[in-house]
Amino acid sequence: MTSATSVLDHAPVVPVVVIEDATDAVPLARALVAGGLPAIEVTLRTPAALDAIRAIAAEVPDAVVGAGTVLSARAVADAVGAGARFLVSPGWTDGLLDALEGSGVPFLPGVSTASEVVALLERGVREMKFFPAEAAGGTAYLKSLAGPLPRARFCPTGGISLASAPAYLRLPNVGCVGGTWMLPGDALAGRNWSRVEALAREASALRS
């Protein structure tokens, strides 16, 4: 059984990155790593995503680059082939979970209900993505899961901000949170990597 415990423990925040231009991948990753956020989830939402993962894996050795929005067995194979060191999905099916388990790298399948959590626990999966976190009930929902399902551990993602992240990180069943607030659109458009680094440093200082 491949777990994602190491992903949950790298830093309090995992940046969720959408890369449109693969040439931005390396300087962006370097800025995030310099700011103290080494685990970087590159979402498979753009044609540049796999090339971005490939570049980060090859040129930013201190980064732990992963693939997000993994929706199929093909995507699992492509991401791992590009160098992804962990995989994240917004949800799961039995077929996708089989592929994730066979990938050889840590993974976080997405859940938003207690039944989905129980089903994953039955399969031996204890680390999960809680998505979409704010829309699915936020900290109150996760707190309510901790009592009956203490073995489950989460990375909540979706709608989380610098202001709301500490409340999530204080929960006993949360290892880290995923977010995009350290990647503002104007900074990315202007390739203002120093600003990204400063925002990453602020996020990395969060403690549970």
Side-chain angles (χ1 to χ4, degrees):
M1 177 68 235
T2 301
S3 77
T5 303
S6 61
V7 179
L8 294 178
D9 293 336
H10 273 293
V13 179
V14 175
V16 180
V17 182
V18 179
I19 295 181
E20 302 287 349
D21 184 342
T23 62
D24 291 337
V26 168
L28 175 57
R30 286 176 176 158
L32 291 170
V33 171
L37 301 181
I40 302 167
E41 176 188 335
V42 177
T43 63
L44 301 183
R45 300 181 194 176
T46 68
L50 290 174
D51 285 339
I53 291 170
R54 211 171 276 116
I56 295 169
E59 299 183 45
V60 191
D62 292 332
V64 181
V65 63
T69 321
V70 176
L71 302 176
S72 67
R74 175 63 183 272
V76 169
D78 288 346
V80 173
R85 294 171 58 185
F86 66 93
L87 304 171
V88 183
S89 176
W92 65 279
T93 64
D94 286 330
L96 178 56
L97 190 61
D98 289 342
L100 292 169
E101 289 181 318
S103 69
V105 301
F107 58 89
L108 293 170
V111 297
S112 59
T113 70
S115 294
E116 291 168 327
V117 175
V118 171
L120 284 179
L121 291 172
E122 280 189 352
R123 291 282 299 260
V125 178
R126 295 180 59 186
E127 291 85 25
M128 311 166 194
K129 172 178 179 173
F130 179 60
F131 177 83
E134 288 289 281
T139 55
Y141 192 87
L142 282 172
K143 185 176 181 180
S144 71
L145 292 181
L149 301 170
R151 291 185 299 141
R153 196 160 175 246
F154 301 96
C155 174
T157 305
I160 297 175
S161 66
L162 178 65
S164 62
Y168 283 94
L169 292 168
R170 284 193 291 269
L171 297 175
N173 54 352
V174 170
C176 64
V177 300
T180 61
W181 73 84
M182 74 298 300
L183 302 161
D186 58 341
L188 297 183
R191 293 177 169 82
N192 188 346
W193 308 128
S194 61
R195 184 179 176 206
V196 171
E197 179 181 341
L199 292 171
R201 195 173 305 281
E202 186 178 37
S204 71
L206 294 172
R207 293 292 180 265
S208 60

